Amino acid sequence: MIFLLSPASLFLPEMLMASKLTFLTLSTLPNKPHHHSTKLHPLPLISSRLNVSKDPTILNSHKILDQSSNALKTASLSLTAVTLPFLLDQKDVALAVDGEFGVFEGRTFALIHPIVMASLFLYTLWAGYLGWQWRRVRTIQNEINELKKQVKPTPVTPEGTPLEVPPSQIELKIQQLTEERKELIKGSYRDRHYNAGSILLGFGVLEAVGGGLNTWIRTGKLFPGPHLFAGAGITVLWALSAALVPSMQRGSETARSLHIALNTLNVLLFVSQLPTGFDILLKAFEFTKWP
């Protein structure tokens, strides 16, 4: 024999489990006297609100519609019963302390942030050096052009033959700057500075967020203060400096000057973080254990 299951019967296991969960949760709540009771009235069937025809085909379709409506009502009640315990019982929600995160609360994970940020501080200085060398490649040509304007014409004989005279100080300076520029071009400082800035932006933002996340994992909260605010400022300055790159590539001197100013401020904020970061590192050693 083939048994046909109605849509409502498919939700029977969920109803039984949800009822048990709700009963267990509600049984722990304090009993308070109620001075009034609410009487629930069943909702009328959908077919009762419609002008149902006597046609058997139409009657059958409305019967199926009523069964589907009852199934949806049962499903909504079961979902409410399942979620109700989670809404009522919030006192045991785990915070980010007491070992719930295992090794992520240990000393090894806590040391990642200071080690990475100290490395990024040194890398920031290196990226600044590369940027300054690339700027030197561009500005040295301007110096050469200005010096060439000061070079006096070579004296010639009455016949028009140039006289052989030793080079002037200005000409020697031009030769020196020209050789220096050739060496700077060989260093590929433009590409190296761009790559260093990209690495600094990516790892810097990642570890800036990771440092706050690590603090929350170990303590369950963040600590607003100079270190946190300076770190947020550094992250913003990284983003602003990177946003100026398209204008710099189009030759905007204003964007280049602003880029240098923002990164100088970035280094100063980085330096201000070193003492507070060292204090936090000592606290991490005090309140964490290996691993």
Side-chain angles (χ1 to χ4, degrees):
M1 296 179 64
I2 299 176
F3 295 93
L4 298 178
L5 298 178
S6 65
S9 64
L10 297 176
F11 295 90
L12 184 58
E14 287 82 353
M15 292 172 58
L16 295 176
M17 183 177 294
S19 301
K20 292 180 180 179
L21 289 174
T22 307
F23 177 76
L24 292 175
T25 303
L26 295 179
S27 63
T28 61
L29 298 177
N31 294 325
K32 296 182 179 180
H34 297 278
H35 300 286
H36 64 279
S37 60
T38 303
K39 185 176 181 181
L40 299 178
H41 299 278
L43 295 175
L45 297 177
I46 296 178
S47 59
S48 64
R49 302 182 183 181
L50 304 174
N51 294 325
V52 181
S53 173
K54 301 301 182 178
D55 190 342
T57 304
I58 299 178
L59 287 174
N60 186 40
S61 63
H62 283 290
K63 183 178 180 181
I64 295 175
L65 181 61
D66 291 337
Q67 292 177 350
S68 301
S69 175
N70 292 332
L72 291 175
K73 295 175 186 176
T74 306
S76 62
L77 289 175
S78 62
L79 289 175
T80 303
V82 170
T83 56
L84 185 60
F86 297 99
L87 297 176
L88 294 177
D89 192 7
Q90 292 292 329
K91 63 181 180 180
D92 294 329
V93 175
L95 296 177
V97 287
D98 299 332
E100 285 83 0
F101 291 92
V103 69
F104 294 106
E105 296 184 35
R107 186 172 296 171
T108 302
F109 195 71
L111 293 178
I112 293 178
H113 180 73
I115 292 175
V116 172
M117 295 308 293
S119 302
L120 289 179
F121 172 69
L122 299 177
Y123 198 69
T124 298
L125 300 179
W126 172 247
Y129 167 77
L130 296 176
W132 184 259
Q133 291 298 91
W134 164 237
R135 180 179 176 83
R136 182 63 178 159
V137 173
R138 293 183 292 101
T139 58
I140 198 172
Q141 184 60 51
N142 297 333
E143 295 180 25
I144 294 174
N145 295 336
E146 290 296 326
L147 289 174
K148 285 182 177 180
K149 296 178 182 179
Q150 303 176 20
V151 176
K152 296 180 180 180
T154 304
V156 295
T157 62
E159 292 79 13
T161 304
L163 295 177
E164 293 185 2
V165 294
S168 64
Q169 293 295 325
I170 296 178
E171 291 174 333
L172 292 176
K173 183 66 174 178
I174 291 175
Q175 293 177 4
Q176 177 187 351
L177 293 177
T178 302
E179 293 298 325
E180 182 180 351
R181 187 173 185 274
K182 290 180 180 179
E183 293 298 323
L184 290 173
I185 292 176
K186 292 179 181 179
S188 302
Y189 290 107
R190 178 180 180 273
D191 296 335
R192 293 167 65 186
H193 176 67
Y194 182 85
N195 294 335
S198 300
I199 294 174
L200 189 62
L201 176 64
F203 281 95
V205 173
L206 177 64
E207 191 52 39
V209 177
L213 180 62
N214 173 254
T215 301
W216 181 83
I217 287 176
R218 289 187 291 106
T219 64
K221 57 183 177 180
L222 296 178
F223 299 92
H227 191 81
L228 180 63
F229 296 145
I234 290 173
T235 307
V236 171
L237 290 175
W238 276 330
L240 293 177
S241 298
L244 294 171
V245 172
S247 298
M248 295 165 57
Q249 291 175 338
R250 290 193 294 267
S252 174
E253 288 297 328
T254 302
R256 288 168 178 167
S257 300
L258 187 58
H259 180 81
I260 295 174
L262 291 176
N263 282 285
T264 301
L265 179 59
N266 194 314
V267 172
L268 294 177
L269 284 177
F270 234 134
V271 172
S272 71
Q273 273 200 316
L274 297 179
T276 55
F278 184 73
D279 292 339
I280 296 174
L281 178 62
L282 295 180
K283 291 181 180 179
F285 272 101
E286 180 180 357
F287 295 104
T288 59
K289 298 179 180 179
W290 297 107

